[in-house]
Amino acid sequence: MQMTTILNKLANVSDSVVAERVSVHYGRHRALAGVSCRFPEGEVTVLLGPNGSGKSSLLGAIAGLVPHSGQLTVLGRPAGRGPVRVAVVPQAARFNDAVALSVRAVARMGRYAERGALRRLRPVDHEIVDEALDRLELGPLADQPVRELSGGQRQRVLIAQALAQRAPVLILDEATRGLDRESRRRLAEVVAAERADGRTILLASHDRADLELADHAVLLDGRLVAQGRPADVTDDALRARAFVAHSEQQ
């Protein structure tokens, strides 16, 4: 059965990320097959799909962390080449609880992309880090060891670290998973503010509620099912094709 694809071409909107026939394999397992899609500059794109649909694989390829075939450009350059221009909040980051790193110390690592790990941070770098912590309402916890935080608080620390990079492209891989209502509210405000500043945001999710944050949506199920405005991508027929079969298996 031929896969349905909605192409929503927007006038006067350029693309920060363009994928053309991108495939990802892990050994003999094919995680992503021939995906061609785009991510408009200065907009929030939600990658929607069930677990195992290839969202993390595509985001990893965009970040230059996952080998792929096909063509993938980020800000006009091949993905993974040139200066770091993408900030990533990974889906399953783990902290070494044997090391008592503070919230501020972890957030400061976001400045390493620009300054390097061995160079002393400037006053402006510390200001950027403190601002990122405040935006995630982590200022009062700045000196607290990360190992003492809840899972949702740890996730917010990683988001603050990504914000501190000041990268033009921000990747949030399942960033809303495990967040309480208040943390989700704060994240939604941060996403809106980053978009207002002109950053391109890619948010992977299996929760259709996250489409409320989106300007653009990409629906995956191992391959591209649809892309376009959220209202188009969540057409009933597309939702049934991409989600019903998987939900019955879970």
Side-chain angles (χ1 to χ4, degrees):
M1 183 176 183
Q2 186 173 2
M3 188 167 296
T4 304
T5 303
I6 296 175
L7 296 176
N8 191 335
K9 295 185 178 180
L10 304 176
N12 301 320
V13 176
S14 59
D15 298 324
S16 287
V17 181
V18 178
E20 297 182 6
R21 302 178 302 280
V22 172
S23 296
V24 173
H25 291 79
Y26 301 102
R28 296 183 178 180
H29 172 66
R30 184 175 65 184
L32 208 60
V35 168
S36 296
C37 61
R38 63 183 184 80
F39 300 86
E41 182 179 359
E43 294 194 359
V44 178
T45 296
V46 169
L47 287 80
L48 198 64
N51 292 333
S53 61
K55 303 185 300 295
S56 294
S57 294
L58 180 55
L59 291 181
I62 292 169
L65 303 174
V66 173
H68 63 277
S69 60
Q71 297 182 356
L72 185 54
T73 58
V74 180
L75 302 175
R77 299 181 177 182
R81 299 182 187 176
V84 176
R85 307 299 302 278
V86 178
V88 181
V89 179
Q91 179 178 350
R94 292 181 174 85
F95 291 94
N96 183 356
D97 288 342
V99 180
L101 286 175
S102 70
V103 169
R104 181 178 282 109
V106 173
R108 282 175 180 165
M109 294 176 186
R111 299 304 301 157
Y112 294 171
E114 179 178 329
R115 296 292 294 166
L118 301 179
R119 297 178 65 185
R120 183 184 297 275
L121 296 185
R122 304 160 298 180
V124 66
D125 296 309
H126 292 291
E127 291 175 4
I128 290 171
V129 170
D130 288 342
E131 178 188 357
L133 292 175
D134 288 341
R135 292 176 65 187
L136 273 300
E137 298 180 349
L138 293 169
L141 303 177
D143 296 322
Q144 187 167 330
V146 173
R147 65 187 181 188
E148 297 178 2
L149 302 184
S150 68
Q153 289 172 328
R154 292 184 180 203
Q155 182 75 347
R156 285 157 58 193
V157 173
L158 292 176
I159 296 170
Q161 181 189 90
L163 293 181
Q165 291 188 40
R166 295 284 180 92
V169 178
L170 173 62
I171 289 178
L172 303 168
D173 192 357
E174 300 281 2
T176 61
R177 176 180 289 183
L179 293 183
D180 57 32
R181 181 178 299 179
E182 180 62 22
S183 294
R184 288 177 69 97
R185 178 195 65 79
R186 172 48 36 190
L187 177 60
E189 292 177 353
V190 167
V191 167
E194 290 297 292
R195 175 179 54 190
D197 284 343
R199 290 184 177 81
T200 302
I201 301 169
L202 317 182
L203 170 64
S205 177
H206 64 277
D207 185 349
R208 288 194 296 271
D210 286 332
L211 284 173
E212 296 178 1
L213 304 173
D215 304 297
H216 186 76
V218 172
L219 185 59
L220 298 176
D221 192 9
R223 61 189 63 210
L224 180 68
V225 177
Q227 66 174 319
R229 290 303 183 188
D232 297 328
V233 169
T234 53
D235 174 84
D236 287 343
L238 294 176
R239 286 188 296 181
R241 176 175 178 81
F243 293 100
V244 171
H246 285 266
S247 63
E248 291 176 347
Q249 297 172 5
Q250 293 176 358

